[in-house]
């Protein structure tokens, strides 16, 4: 696995967790609203899933943030 991919997955995991907790939302609620399985949200938060752009967009919408913030090492919502 490339270091760029590992960095992006780590950023994504950290940012989904941070934003979800800031909104006081459970993995289950995020999954339901984004149209994915709760176990998939768990995989994203552990950095082991590779989501499509479509799924990332749905998650960003549910988390009320920009897609680039989910992938960033310095998200604007932090």
């Amino acid at each position: 696995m490339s270091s760029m991919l590992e960095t992006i997955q780590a950023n994504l995991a950290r940012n989904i967790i941070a934003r979800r907790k800031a909104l006081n939302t459970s993995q289950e609620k995020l999954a339901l609203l984004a149209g994915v399985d709760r176990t998939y949200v768990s995989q994203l938060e552990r950095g082991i899933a590779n989501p499509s752009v479509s799924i990332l967009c749905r998650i960003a919408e549910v988390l009320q943030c920009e897609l680039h913030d989910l992938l960033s090492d310095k998200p604007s919502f932090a």
Side-chain angles (χ1 to χ4, degrees):
M1 188 179 313
S2 74
S3 64
M4 184 187 308
L5 179 58
E6 290 171 348
T7 299
I8 291 170
Q9 285 178 318
N11 290 346
L12 179 63
R14 183 185 64 249
N15 293 335
I16 288 175
I17 292 167
R19 188 64 180 154
R20 181 178 61 75
K21 288 184 176 184
L23 295 173
N24 198 28
T25 300
S26 67
Q27 285 184 345
E28 188 171 348
K29 185 174 180 183
L30 171 57
L32 178 68
L33 294 173
V36 298
D37 193 88
R38 190 213 47 86
T39 59
Y40 192 69
V41 171
S42 174
Q43 290 174 352
L44 290 170
E45 290 187 356
R46 290 181 285 137
I48 60 173
N50 291 310
S52 68
V53 173
S54 175
I55 288 174
L56 286 175
C57 289
R58 293 191 324 239
I59 289 172
E61 184 175 338
V62 172
L63 293 176
Q64 302 167 13
C65 66
E66 298 295 325
L67 174 57
H68 62 86
D69 284 323
L70 290 181
L71 304 175
S72 176
D73 61 342
K74 296 179 184 173
S76 64
F77 58 76

